[in-house]
Amino acid sequence: MTRENRRPSPDAAQPPVSVIMPVLNEERHLRSSVRHILEQRYDGELEVVIALGPSTDRTDEIAAELAAEDPRVHTVPNPTGRTPAGLNAAIKASRHPVVVRVDGHGMLSANYIATAVRLLEETGAANVGGIMHAEGENAWEHAVAAAMTSKIGVGNAAFHTGGTAGEAETVYLGVFRREVLEQQGGYNEEFIRAQDWELNFRIREAGGLVWFSPELRVSYRPRPTVRALAKQYRNYGRWRHVVARYHAGSINLRYLAPPVAVCAIAAGLVVGVALTPWGLLVPGGYLAAIVAGSLPAGRGLPLKARLQIPVALATMHMSWGWGFLTSPKKLARKVIASRRRPVPATQ
């Protein structure tokens, strides 16, 4: 899809929409997430296709119940459990011209689909996306949500902290024109993480427009434990290094900050223990910085949540940095070998 493509008339009927959702162990949020889709304020036809990974909880049972309760809900198997494979299976099983990606712990705002369809028409974009609005349900999750939506936690990432509408490198989740997904052959299944970035990279290289808008908002449920958050951010860092090796021009100072912090803190601890206490100024300074940064991030939260924000920040930073530093070159080589050439739209 190129930027010069003709846009549908604003008076045209609302196009049918397929919502695709890869899930794995999502019993806690799946029913609510699907409800937020089915209750959209949208006049067009909707279908929901859930790609079922090999869950060990009640996810499959809940998905079966949802399909029995509403004919708009369907399921397809995703034996590998990998997100990009599930997305591709759901795309193949769906049928409508607009494709909306949602995760099993994401809650669409009431006008999300209607707004996204309007933005596709107004901008001529191939893909539009908005804000990943983290919201917790207990003290720890409130702390993680505050960390994820603060600049000290994630830097200046617009899809976390908000920003002005405009062209973007990538967006959270995404609402696509089906023809674009078909042109590009869907998601690259070697990208276990960062598959959104890789697909959007191909879309942009083919001349398509990826558009961010703060009008689009998805409520996101954070990981429920320190361990789960650490695993999530370690994988983020690991795969961000893969992306940096895949596309050398994609790295910037924001991405380098966590690995630099990990190295500096480790060096400071070694120097502080082995040589001079002055070395402890580095980890001490980092601790002071995240405690200070947690104060504005925690405004309005209960005391128990505010006290846990520094723990969430440190977990995110250190895990992301460690994942980046330990990302194996062989993983990047495997991904680079699977590189797909961007496919321009036929004229």
Side-chain angles (χ1 to χ4, degrees):
M1 176 65 62
T2 61
R3 301 179 195 187
E4 289 75 22
N5 282 341
R6 294 178 61 187
R7 301 170 188 171
S9 164
D11 296 327
Q14 296 289 282
V17 169
S18 297
V19 181
I20 58 172
M21 178 186 289
V23 297
L24 181 68
N25 294 327
E26 290 287 1
E27 68 172 1
R28 182 179 174 192
H29 300 301
L30 179 58
R31 179 170 287 278
S32 179
S33 182
V34 171
R35 177 175 56 79
H36 278 76
I37 298 167
L38 298 177
E39 294 178 358
Q40 285 286 296
R41 297 170 187 162
Y42 186 69
D43 293 333
E45 183 181 350
L46 284 177
E47 68 170 352
V48 182
V49 182
I50 305 172
L52 298 171
S55 296
T56 57
D57 61 9
R58 295 183 59 252
T59 296
D60 287 13
E61 180 182 340
I62 294 169
E65 292 171 357
L66 290 166
E69 293 164 6
D70 195 307
R72 294 174 293 176
V73 179
H74 314 280
T75 64
V76 293
N78 175 26
T80 69
R82 294 180 172 182
T83 298
L87 289 167
N88 284 341
I91 291 168
K92 185 176 180 180
S94 65
R95 55 197 173 91
H96 293 323
V98 175
V99 179
V100 178
R101 176 185 170 175
V102 182
D103 288 338
H105 45 270
M107 313 294 161
L108 299 185
S109 53
N111 292 312
Y112 183 89
I113 291 176
T115 301
V117 169
R118 173 176 60 78
L119 289 171
L120 285 174
E121 296 175 351
E122 291 178 353
T123 65
N127 179 21
V128 299
I131 294 175
M132 174 185 178
H133 183 71
E135 292 181 343
E137 296 180 325
N138 54 45
W140 166 249
E141 291 179 4
H142 285 311
V144 175
M148 291 180 69
T149 54
S150 70
K151 290 190 176 181
I152 192 174
V154 296
N156 61 350
F159 71 83
H160 280 296
T161 60
T164 58
E167 185 174 355
E169 180 182 90
T170 190
V171 290
Y172 179 54
L173 299 178
V175 177
F176 301 85
R177 300 177 188 270
R178 173 177 293 277
E179 65 233 47
V180 173
L181 292 174
E182 293 176 347
Q183 286 159 9
Q184 300 305 327
Y187 291 84
N188 184 334
E189 295 185 14
E190 293 296 336
F191 273 80
I192 308 305
R193 299 288 186 275
Q195 66 275 158
D196 299 295
W197 179 92
E198 191 278 335
L199 175 58
N200 284 312
F201 173 74
R202 280 186 282 132
I203 289 172
R204 291 184 293 106
E205 288 289 292
L209 175 63
V210 177
W211 187 264
F212 166 81
S213 173
E215 291 184 77
L216 296 173
R217 180 182 174 115
V218 181
S219 294
Y220 169 88
R221 299 294 186 254
R223 296 298 193 269
T225 65
V226 173
R227 183 177 180 179
L229 183 69
K231 180 179 179 181
Q232 177 188 18
Y233 271 79
R234 185 187 70 232
N235 283 330
Y236 282 171
R238 176 185 176 101
W239 280 91
R240 196 62 189 77
H241 204 165
V242 172
V243 167
R245 288 167 169 154
Y246 182 92
H247 178 45
S250 69
I251 202 68
N252 59 41
L253 292 177
R254 176 166 68 90
Y255 296 124
L256 293 176
V260 168
V262 170
C263 292
I265 290 169
L269 289 171
V270 171
V271 171
V273 172
L275 299 176
T276 171
W278 289 103
L280 298 177
L281 286 175
V282 177
Y286 171 76
L287 179 60
I290 61 172
V291 169
S294 70
L295 296 178
R299 286 197 188 106
L301 293 179
L303 178 61
K304 186 176 180 180
R306 294 203 305 271
L307 292 175
Q308 294 184 78
I309 294 175
V311 178
L313 288 169
T315 301
M316 291 162 58
H317 293 161
M318 296 299 102
S319 300
W320 202 103
W322 180 250
F324 188 94
L325 290 168
T326 58
S327 181
K329 289 185 178 180
K330 64 181 181 181
L331 180 59
R333 286 196 294 268
K334 181 180 180 182
V335 166
I336 290 169
S338 73
R339 189 189 299 269
R340 298 181 182 179
R341 295 181 63 84
V343 181
T346 56
Q347 300 298 319

